[in-house]
Amino acid sequence: MDILEEILEQIKKYNRIIIHRHQRPDPDAIGSQVGLAKILQASFPHKQIKVVGKQIDGLSWLGNMDDVEGEFFDDALVIVIDTANSPRIDDRRFENGAFLIKIDHHPNDDQFGDLMWVKEEASSSSELVFDFFVRFKDQLTLTKEAARDLYAGIVGDTGRFMYPSTSAHTHNVVAGLMETGFDMVEVNQTLDGIPESVAHLSAYVYDNLKINSNGAAYIVLSKEVLEKFNLKDAGTAGIVSIPGRILTVKWWAIFVEQDDHSYRVRLRSKGPVINELAKKHDGGGHPLASGAKAKNLEEVNQIISELDQLA
């Protein structure tokens, strides 16, 4: 019995299933989470399938989180998807279930769970969910709504198929999802659209981005800047890819000040590996797309220096 067969066996075994994902989710985190839930609900209508975590208004079009009482975790199967490190799991009750499965495509530095299916070469966790469906398509049902959510996750994590993780298999997966007939154009337009506040912030980023001679770039977004554009941390997701559109930029960091005056750090690269840098600062992720934290401006400057040294 291989890992996928073991996962399906556990899914069949439990009548209560709770699916978690990481904090501050992106389209792949939500898409893979709710996409898997919709597949399981359509395949096993007698089971109680729940998705938990903070409700993110900007991604609510993919699916809403459930209110789950503590006792629901008793004798329940817990699946944590698209989350490399256990401290980043949204809703800390994930340990209260009877059995824990990890499904992910990030480097498996934190090996948690009773079963782990980690495939780093996959473009996204949404791609893995589709692969799981295909493996057992005689027993599972892929709905149009689930296909839409998985497609959104793949588009999000591949940067609209621009990142190196995009493979021929990724495009085959997308073709399989499109066969369900969901409105691909609507999903693309929703993912591509930004509010006026983010458009104004984008102009600010272009005007204030610091670019070193070696192609390292960075910008610090203080709370005052975010208040000026009437945005919170979550609203800055739309500007993460902006520095990469500049031809001379090879890798970049975006620092976003938090309420406690620490900084969320988003790291991206067109080639040099940056996840080892992220690990040094309470973070991690993919070789070319990672996140980290900085306690204060001193650590921000330290990260900028280390980013510069990657050259």
Side-chain angles (χ1 to χ4, degrees):
M1 182 181 296
D2 66 14
I3 185 67
L4 296 188
E5 290 172 327
E6 291 183 62
I7 291 173
L8 182 61
E9 181 181 31
Q10 294 300 324
I11 288 172
K12 290 180 175 179
K13 178 180 176 180
Y14 289 91
N15 287 322
R16 293 178 177 177
I17 301 174
I18 307 158
I19 306 175
H20 294 242
R21 38 78 180 163
H22 62 74
Q23 301 166 0
R24 294 171 172 168
D26 52 18
D28 185 40
I30 299 288
S32 60
Q33 180 191 29
V34 299
L36 176 60
K38 290 173 182 177
I39 289 173
L40 297 184
Q41 194 66 74
S43 306
F44 307 102
H46 63 284
K47 295 182 182 292
Q48 299 180 74
I49 316 292
K50 304 292 184 181
V51 290
V52 295
K54 184 179 179 180
Q55 182 68 41
I56 305 299
D57 292 338
L59 294 173
S60 60
W61 60 279
L62 291 172
N64 294 308
M65 298 298 104
D66 296 309
D67 292 324
V68 178
E69 299 295 332
E71 57 267 22
F72 191 85
F73 283 80
D74 297 339
D75 195 32
L77 170 65
V78 174
I79 300 175
V80 176
I81 196 162
D82 197 46
T83 311
N85 307 310
S86 56
R88 293 198 66 211
I89 300 172
D90 201 344
D91 195 320
R92 304 310 299 170
R93 296 176 296 174
F94 71 94
E95 295 179 320
N96 296 347
F99 198 89
L100 177 60
I101 296 174
K102 175 183 182 180
I103 299 175
D104 193 28
H105 71 121
H106 298 91
N108 197 22
D109 297 325
D110 184 356
Q111 301 184 16
F112 62 86
D114 300 296
L115 281 178
M116 291 182 293
W117 179 34
V118 179
K119 192 174 179 181
E120 294 182 29
E121 63 269 26
S123 72
S124 56
S125 291
S126 294
E127 181 177 304
L128 292 179
V129 172
F130 182 79
D131 288 342
F132 180 72
F133 157 73
V134 170
R135 174 67 183 275
F136 304 108
K137 60 183 179 181
D138 58 330
Q139 303 176 61
L140 300 176
T141 300
L142 176 67
T143 65
K144 182 186 298 187
E145 292 75 19
R148 182 200 65 158
D149 294 340
L150 297 180
Y151 173 79
I154 292 172
V155 171
D157 251 29
T158 60
R160 294 169 179 77
F161 311 106
M162 291 177 59
Y163 299 158
S165 60
T166 306
S167 66
H169 178 67
T170 303
H171 288 290
N172 287 333
V173 168
V174 168
L177 293 169
M178 289 177 62
E179 288 178 357
T180 65
F182 72 91
D183 191 338
M184 181 191 68
V185 173
E186 181 182 18
V187 174
N188 290 338
Q189 290 176 342
T190 301
L191 288 172
D192 193 53
I194 58 173
E196 287 186 24
S197 56
V198 176
H200 292 306
L201 179 62
S202 300
Y204 177 88
V205 170
Y206 279 125
D207 282 342
N208 293 274
L209 187 71
K210 306 298 183 183
I211 306 175
N212 294 338
S213 59
N214 57 26
Y218 68 91
I219 188 168
V220 179
L221 299 176
S222 66
K223 288 185 62 61
E224 289 75 18
V225 169
L226 295 183
E227 289 170 1
K228 174 183 177 181
F229 294 107
N230 195 28
L231 286 169
K232 296 186 181 297
D233 177 34
T236 63
I239 55 91
V240 175
S241 64
I242 282 178
R245 296 173 185 167
I246 301 173
L247 293 175
T248 55
V249 171
K250 303 304 179 186
W251 50 97
W252 63 97
I254 296 176
F255 301 90
V256 184
E257 188 176 8
Q258 306 296 297
D259 290 336
D260 63 357
H261 303 296
S262 66
Y263 291 82
R264 179 182 184 179
V265 188
R266 291 184 170 101
L267 296 166
R268 297 294 186 270
S269 172
K270 295 178 182 177
V273 173
I274 43 83
N275 61 342
E276 291 302 321
L277 188 158
K279 290 176 187 177
K280 293 168 60 178
H281 297 277
D282 195 22
H286 299 289
L288 305 183
S290 294
K293 299 176 183 178
K295 297 184 292 292
N296 47 41
L297 278 174
E298 182 180 355
E299 189 170 2
V300 166
N301 290 326
Q302 181 184 351
I303 294 173
I304 292 171
S305 176
E306 292 171 357
L307 185 69
D308 188 51
Q309 290 171 19
L310 284 176

